[in-house]
């Protein structure tokens, strides 16, 4: 627990409370249920968790309390509250994926990550809000089942998307762990906007089985947590091959080697300064200071060139939208008028891509992966700001018709797309706040399967943040 720094409730604090007997998972669960009821009644409603069931929560909590009493806990996650993005199948909730037309019946089978969390003893407090079908980066979803989740740091600002409710739930203190999916920054963008830690694993590292297969070549699963140490714990439990998910079968064993090393001596941090500086002045200032902090711990900064980034950006858009359009063809034909305007526009745009575009985009993927192989032969990681700006404002019209700002979508994904396009892992860690009090984060990316170095650097980045400001919407589940 010496690795943890910050003001939000972490796994460690919960674990220590449960082990000491000061608090039981049952008591924590009762607190959370009261808070979920309060969230729904607040003005405006937080809308982080969109489906929850008191009986289900209490059953899991009481089973965990019994295990603590008998000293036979299942893992470091036993008794820890978690939520999963609505993109995952979670019994007994509706698998709506942010829509009004999917998941008409309650689920009867868990996604692999939901099953593994249950087996670890975690308490699933419900499923979290998301951007409809994962088609945007604001989290804006005016659907009747969802409504717009609010950023706990300022409820008049967006959470980011598409794992919007997952980030809001963690930042607001409802649970220290949430699970999201990331096809174009969908874990890392909301984690950054909400001031929490977000890890996108290597493509295939954590099983996607049981999530809607919107884009089979760009999406990775990852945790959103209050601390890097928590992210490491969740990663170590979820990261392994799954026979039901072929993309990750050949992966090397996940390790946390050298994660708590006292310094960063010997590590080379790659920075493409031209690319790095393409962000707002406040974001750049904080991120440059964070890089200097890493240098002060013994790491060396090496200037690198990330070639063909514009080509990679366009190719990523072609790949993700073409795959989503292919998978959602029946929905597009049958449920078009039940979709949000932004989803309609995105899928209509995807109709314009040809097979030739898709083939060329995948040739670019091969080129980009080769460039990265060369870069990672000289450095251990690549640093960028997480998002070029802070969370955007919510306008009244967004509540009714949604928000469709293509220029913002493109900008918000600037530092994210390389990781999705090539499959490398990325970690975002909050490093400070804007003058308006909104979170700013730095991103660390590493070579395929080397999440351990991300977590090692991430722990040191947490030390750079002098304090963790509590959000304006915050629930203390240990109270």
């Amino acid at each position: 627990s010496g690795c943890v720094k910050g003001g939000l409730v972490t796994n460690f604090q919960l674990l220590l409370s449960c082990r000491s007997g000061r608090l039981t998972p049952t008591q924590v669960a009762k607190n959370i249920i009261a808070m979920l009821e309060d969230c729904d009644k607040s003005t405006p409603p937080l809308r982080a968790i969109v489906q929850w069931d008191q009986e289900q929560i209490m059953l899991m909590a009481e089973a965990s309390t019994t295990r603590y009493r008998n000293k036979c806990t299942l893992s470091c996650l036993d008794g820890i509250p978690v939520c999963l993005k609505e993109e995952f199948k979670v019994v007994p909730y509706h698998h709506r994926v942010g829509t009004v037309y999917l998941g008409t019946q309650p689920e009867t089978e868990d996604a692999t990550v939901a099953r593994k969390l249950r087996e670890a003893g975690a308490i699933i407090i419900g499923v979290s809000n998301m951007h409809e079908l994962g088609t945007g980066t604001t989290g804006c979803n005016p659907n009747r089942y969802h409504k717009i989740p609010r950023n706990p740091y300022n409820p008049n600002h967006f959470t980011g998307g598409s794992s919007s409710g997952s980030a809001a739930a963690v930042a607001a203190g409802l649970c220290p762990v949430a699970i999201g999916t990331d096809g174009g920054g969908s874990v890392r963008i909301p984690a950054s906007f909400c001031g929490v830690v977000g890890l996108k694993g290597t493509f295939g590292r954590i099983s996607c089985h049981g999530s809607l297969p919107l884009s089979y070549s760009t999406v990775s699963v990852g945790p959103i947590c209050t601390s890097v140490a928590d992210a490491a714990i969740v990663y170590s439990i979820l990261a392994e091959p799954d026979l039901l998910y072929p993309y990750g079968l050949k992966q090397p064993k996940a390790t946390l080697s050298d994660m708590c090393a006292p310094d960063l001596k010997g590590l080379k941090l790659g920075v493409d300064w031209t690319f790095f500086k393409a962000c707002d002045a406040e974001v750049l200032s904080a991120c440059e200071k964070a890089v200097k902090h890493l240098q002060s711990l013994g790491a060396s900064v090496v200037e690198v060139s990330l070639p063909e980034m514009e080509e990679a950006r366009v190719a990523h858009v072609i790949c993700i939208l073409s795959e989503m359009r292919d998978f959602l063809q029946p929905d597009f034909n049958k449920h078009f008028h039940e979709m949000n305007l932004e989803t309609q526009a995105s899928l209509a745009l995807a109709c314009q891509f040809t097979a030739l575009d898709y083939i060329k985009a995948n040739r670019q993927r091969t080129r980009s992966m080769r460039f990265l192989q060369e870069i990672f032969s000289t450095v251990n990681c690549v640093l960028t700001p997480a998002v070029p700006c802070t969370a955007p404002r919510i306008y009244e019209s967004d509540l009714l018709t949604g928000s469709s700002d293509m220029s913002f979508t493109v900008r918000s994904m600037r530092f994210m797309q390389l990781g999705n396009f090539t499959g490398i892992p990325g970690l975002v860690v909050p490093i400070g706040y804007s003058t308006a009090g909104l979170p700013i984060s730095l991103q660390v990316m590493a070579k395929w399967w080397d999440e351990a170095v991300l977590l090692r650097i991430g722990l040191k980045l947490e030390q750079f943040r002098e304090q963790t400001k509590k959000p304006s919407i915050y629930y203390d589940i240990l109270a």
Side-chain angles (χ1 to χ4, degrees), residues 183-459:
S186 286
V187 160
R188 293 163 292 157
I189 292 170
S192 303
F193 282 164
C194 292
V196 289
V197 173
L199 173 65
K200 180 198 92 73
T202 303
F203 177 75
R205 177 63 104 175
I206 298 173
S207 174
C208 277
H209 175 73
S211 68
L212 201 71
L214 293 165
S215 167
Y216 66 87
S217 77
T218 66
V219 175
S220 296
V221 177
I224 295 174
C225 300
T226 46
S227 72
V228 174
D230 285 357
I233 290 168
V234 180
Y235 163 75
S236 67
I237 286 171
L238 297 181
E240 65 176 6
D242 175 13
L243 291 173
L244 299 171
Y245 185 65
Y247 299 118
L249 288 178
K250 300 285 187 180
Q251 64 178 277
K253 188 169 176 57
T255 71
L256 299 176
S257 57
D258 296 328
M259 185 179 141
C260 285
D263 54 43
L264 297 177
K265 285 177 183 169
L267 289 185
K268 293 179 180 175
L269 317 178
V271 180
D272 180 330
W273 285 111
T274 304
F275 187 55
F276 190 101
K277 289 177 180 178
C279 59
D280 290 353
E282 277 190 303
V283 173
L284 178 60
S285 173
C287 289
E288 285 179 330
K289 287 173 187 168
V291 173
K292 285 179 181 168
H293 167 74
L294 297 177
Q295 276 183 289
S296 74
L297 293 168
S300 57
V301 173
V302 177
E303 197 158 342
V304 297
S305 172
L306 295 169
E308 300 181 9
M309 288 304 292
E310 180 61 15
E311 290 84 348
R313 183 187 70 77
V314 173
H316 166 262
V317 170
I318 291 169
C319 285
I320 190 169
L321 282 182
S322 296
E323 290 167 9
M324 290 177 79
R325 181 70 175 81
D326 171 54
F327 178 73
L328 294 169
Q329 178 73 29
D331 302 51
F332 192 71
N333 293 338
K334 191 176 176 185
H335 299 285
F336 180 81
H337 295 293
E338 296 171 89
M339 293 175 174
N340 289 334
L341 293 171
E342 184 183 18
T343 308
Q344 292 175 350
S346 297
L347 294 177
L349 170 65
C351 294
Q352 305 306 309
F353 298 136
T354 65
L356 188 59
D357 292 329
Y358 187 72
I359 290 166
K360 284 183 175 177
N362 276 288
R363 285 179 180 155
Q364 179 62 46
R365 194 197 306 261
T366 304
R367 287 177 64 83
S368 295
M369 290 173 80
R370 282 181 183 154
F371 293 143
L372 284 177
Q373 276 182 319
E374 290 172 22
I375 288 167
F376 286 126
S377 69
T378 60
V379 297
N380 298 95
C381 68
V382 171
L383 304 178
T384 70
V387 192
C389 56
T390 54
R393 190 171 178 80
I394 298 170
Y395 293 96
E396 281 297 311
S397 60
D398 300 334
L399 306 177
L400 301 172
T401 57
S403 169
S404 185
D405 183 344
M406 200 56 79
S407 64
F408 169 76
T409 304
V410 169
R411 189 162 187 247
S412 64
M413 294 196 300
R414 174 178 290 143
F415 301 118
M416 302 281 132
Q417 291 172 285
L418 186 64
N420 297 111
F421 189 47
T422 63
I424 58 172
L427 177 75
V428 297
V429 179
I431 55 167
Y433 304 90
S434 69
T435 49
L438 292 166
I440 294 170
S441 296
L442 188 78
Q443 176 174 230
V444 193
M445 295 182 284
K447 68 178 183 290
W448 300 269
W449 316 115
D450 198 8
E451 288 86 351
V453 78
L454 299 183
L455 296 163
R456 177 181 172 187
I457 295 166
L459 282 175

Side-chain angles (χ1 to χ4, degrees), residues 29 33 37 52-60 93 125:
I33 289 164
E37 288 170 346
W52 58 278
D53 183 288
Q54 180 171 335
E55 188 181 344
Q56 290 287 321
I57 296 169
M58 290 308 298
L59 278 172
M60 286 180 270
Y93 303 109
I125 66 167

Side-chain angles (χ1 to χ4, degrees), residues 46-253:
L46 181 62
R47 299 306 293 161
I49 306 295
V50 289
Q51 297 182 61
W52 58 278
D53 183 288
Q54 180 171 335
E55 188 181 344
Q56 290 287 321
I57 296 169
M58 290 308 298
L59 278 172
M60 286 180 270
E62 284 162 4
S64 179
T65 297
T66 301
R67 290 192 293 271
Y68 272 99
R69 193 183 299 125
N70 297 333
K71 295 186 170 49
C72 59
T73 50
L74 298 171
S75 78
C76 286
L77 286 183
D78 205 324
I80 302 297
V82 304
C83 68
L84 292 95
K85 186 179 184 178
E86 201 181 54
E87 197 168 325
F88 293 100
K89 293 180 179 180
V90 183
V91 178
Y93 303 109
H94 295 265
H95 189 216
R96 292 191 178 117
V97 200
T99 71
V100 295
Y101 66 85
L102 288 172
T104 54
Q105 299 297 318
E107 264 316 309
T108 56
E109 185 182 339
D110 277 330
T112 295
V113 287
R115 175 180 57 78
K116 288 177 78 68
L117 288 168
R118 284 191 209 275
E119 289 170 353
I123 301 169
I124 297 174
I125 66 167
V127 294
S128 49
N129 207 342
M130 65 176 286
H131 207 105
E132 185 181 66
L133 295 169
T135 54
T137 61
T138 57
C140 183
N141 187 348
N143 283 337
R144 65 179 181 270
Y145 292 131
H146 300 89
K147 301 300 178 189
I148 295 174
R150 303 295 178 138
N151 191 318
Y153 276 92
N154 186 329
N156 295 318
H157 287 250
F158 283 119
T159 56
S162 61
S163 306
S164 50
S166 295
V170 172
L174 292 172
C175 52
V177 173
I179 307 298
T181 58
D182 190 317
S186 286
V187 160
R188 293 163 292 157
I189 292 170
S192 303
F193 282 164
C194 292
V196 289
V197 173
L199 173 65
K200 180 198 92 73
T202 303
F203 177 75
R205 177 63 104 175
I206 298 173
S207 174
C208 277
H209 175 73
S211 68
L212 201 71
L214 293 165
S215 167
Y216 66 87
S217 77
T218 66
V219 175
S220 296
V221 177
I224 295 174
C225 300
T226 46
S227 72
V228 174
D230 285 357
I233 290 168
V234 180
Y235 163 75
S236 67
I237 286 171
L238 297 181
E240 65 176 6
D242 175 13
L243 291 173
L244 299 171
Y245 185 65
Y247 299 118
L249 288 178
K250 300 285 187 180
Q251 64 178 277
K253 188 169 176 57

